[in-house]
Amino acid sequence: MLFNSRKYIEETEHNRIKHSQDPSMFELISLGTLASFPPSRFLLRLHPNKITSYSNYKIEPSTCQQTPILYIHGFRGGDYTTRVLVKEAGKAKHNPHYLKVTCDAVGNFTLEGTWTGDQYPIVQLVFRHRIAGMSAISYYLSRILPFLKKQFKFDTYFAVAHSLGAPAIVATAMHYFKHKNFPTLKKAALIAGPFDGVTYLGDIPNVNYLGEKGRPIAMNLTYLKFILGKKRICPDASVLNIYGNILDETNTDKFISVVSAKSIRYILAPQLKFYQEVEIRGINAEHSWLHDDPFVNNIINRFLGLK
């Protein structure tokens, strides 16, 4: 069984509407590459920031301390990736309005929709330069989180992250732990996160395995960085880790192995006040379907306190 990159691209592009203003493939790859490597990021920061607010964007007055819920997609994702998650969260809290924030690699922001006045405003994040690995997504988050905190005056946040967005939000929380310009991550629902490699791209199914204490036998550089930063996360935080197993001979969700997804337990569980794993099995456990599964949406909304 070989990694079918063409099929992967087709499946991750499922239901995406091509927009005439989408960046070119050259721009996607070049800027995503610059964002992936810290030494080259200063070039992106030389570009002046621009904030665009559409006429329907508004802020509802709030009478409570707010904790926004950020929805984060992964590699080659988009607003369609978290659309069902956002919709179901709106139903759960009886307020369908949400803020959509589109950010590009040079720090331009586009705001659409509504920052609601309730306790848990929903914020859907979209990375305009979608060809971005974990390091690049972490870089985007390092631009977005201070911007949102300054704009909307909150100190803590929740996150719901799919695929490469999951290790990216963990890495960002560790890197900027107790940084004065960054809010604190208090709850994170991680969906199909590749914490120790992607199938056939550094992680061969049924080769790696977890030791008695839950640490993977084979560890990539990203995982080693997680080990070094495991003390740099809020001890009052809670994490729900959801992963898939399509029950074939690979023990994967087609793209992420069970071992890779479960490996984050060794890092986070001893540090946090709450950590729980949920394995989804069968056809609905496929990587690009997990975020739309009704059961997954239900347990995430309960975990976030929306139900």
Side-chain angles (χ1 to χ4, degrees):
M1 181 177 180
L2 298 176
F3 179 76
N4 190 331
S5 59
R6 181 177 180 182
K7 184 178 180 181
Y8 175 76
I9 292 172
E10 290 174 352
E11 291 191 8
T12 54
E13 291 291 275
H14 177 64
N15 287 335
R16 190 176 73 85
I17 301 175
K18 188 68 176 177
H19 195 281
S20 60
Q21 294 183 350
D22 274 356
S24 67
M25 185 60 66
F26 174 78
E27 184 180 349
L28 285 173
I29 294 174
S30 59
L31 291 183
T33 301
L34 287 175
S36 297
F37 299 100
S40 63
R41 289 174 183 169
F42 79 95
L43 296 172
L44 299 176
R45 294 185 181 274
L46 293 176
H47 190 281
N49 292 358
K50 179 182 178 182
I51 301 174
T52 303
S53 298
Y54 282 90
S55 58
N56 64 334
Y57 160 59
K58 64 178 182 178
I59 302 176
E60 294 180 355
S62 174
T63 59
C64 60
Q65 181 65 39
Q66 293 185 293
T67 301
I69 307 172
L70 276 55
Y71 289 81
I72 305 162
H73 66 77
F75 180 77
R76 292 186 69 92
D79 57 0
Y80 66 91
T81 305
T82 57
R83 185 175 297 144
V84 174
L85 288 162
V86 167
K87 180 179 178 182
E88 292 303 312
K91 287 181 181 178
K93 71 187 190 88
H94 307 292
N95 189 338
H97 300 291
Y98 65 94
L99 179 68
K100 178 179 174 180
V101 179
T102 303
C103 176
D104 63 19
V106 295
N108 294 324
F109 298 93
T110 300
L111 308 180
E112 303 171 83
T114 304
W115 175 275
T116 58
D118 55 75
Q119 185 177 1
Y120 302 117
I122 293 174
V123 182
Q124 184 188 45
L125 303 185
V126 179
F127 310 124
R128 188 165 179 261
H129 299 109
R130 303 173 295 108
I131 299 182
M134 192 211 79
S135 181
I137 294 174
S138 297
Y139 169 73
Y140 296 152
L141 291 172
S142 75
R143 306 292 297 268
I144 293 172
L145 285 168
F147 166 76
L148 291 177
K149 179 180 180 178
K150 182 179 180 180
Q151 190 87 355
F152 300 108
K153 315 300 181 186
F154 61 89
D155 296 318
T156 61
Y157 70 102
F158 298 167
V160 179
H162 176 255
S163 192
L164 281 177
I169 195 64
V170 174
T172 302
M174 288 179 174
H175 187 78
Y176 295 100
F177 180 56
K178 292 187 177 180
H179 195 288
K180 64 179 181 179
N181 293 329
F182 279 74
T184 301
L185 177 65
K186 295 304 292 286
K187 285 188 178 182
L190 311 174
I191 310 170
F195 299 102
D196 191 27
V198 176
T199 305
Y200 302 111
L201 294 174
D203 182 25
I204 307 300
N206 301 316
V207 172
N208 200 6
Y209 64 93
L210 301 177
E212 291 184 4
K213 295 183 179 181
R215 188 179 71 180
I217 301 303
M219 296 172 281
N220 62 16
L221 290 176
T222 296
Y223 193 82
L224 291 173
K225 289 180 181 178
F226 284 141
I227 290 180
L228 293 175
K230 65 182 180 180
K231 298 290 186 180
R232 295 177 54 82
I233 197 161
C234 178
D236 293 330
S238 299
V239 167
L240 174 67
N241 185 22
I242 301 171
Y243 57 92
N245 187 344
I246 59 174
L247 299 178
D248 65 357
E249 72 281 1
T250 65
N251 290 307
T252 69
D253 65 8
K254 284 192 178 180
F255 304 112
I256 309 301
S257 72
V258 170
V259 169
S260 181
K262 285 171 64 80
S263 65
I264 197 62
R265 181 186 185 95
Y266 175 79
I267 305 293
L268 296 181
Q271 316 299 328
L272 307 178
K273 73 172 184 179
F274 177 86
Y275 178 92
Q276 184 175 0
E277 292 179 342
V278 177
E279 180 177 276
I280 309 298
R281 297 181 174 182
I283 188 171
N284 288 337
E286 196 273 329
H287 186 75
S288 58
W289 294 1
L290 274 173
H291 49 68
D292 293 346
D293 183 75
F295 176 72
V296 170
N297 276 265
N298 182 58
I299 60 175
I300 287 176
N301 289 333
R302 290 185 180 278
F303 167 72
L304 296 175
L306 302 183
K307 283 191 174 183

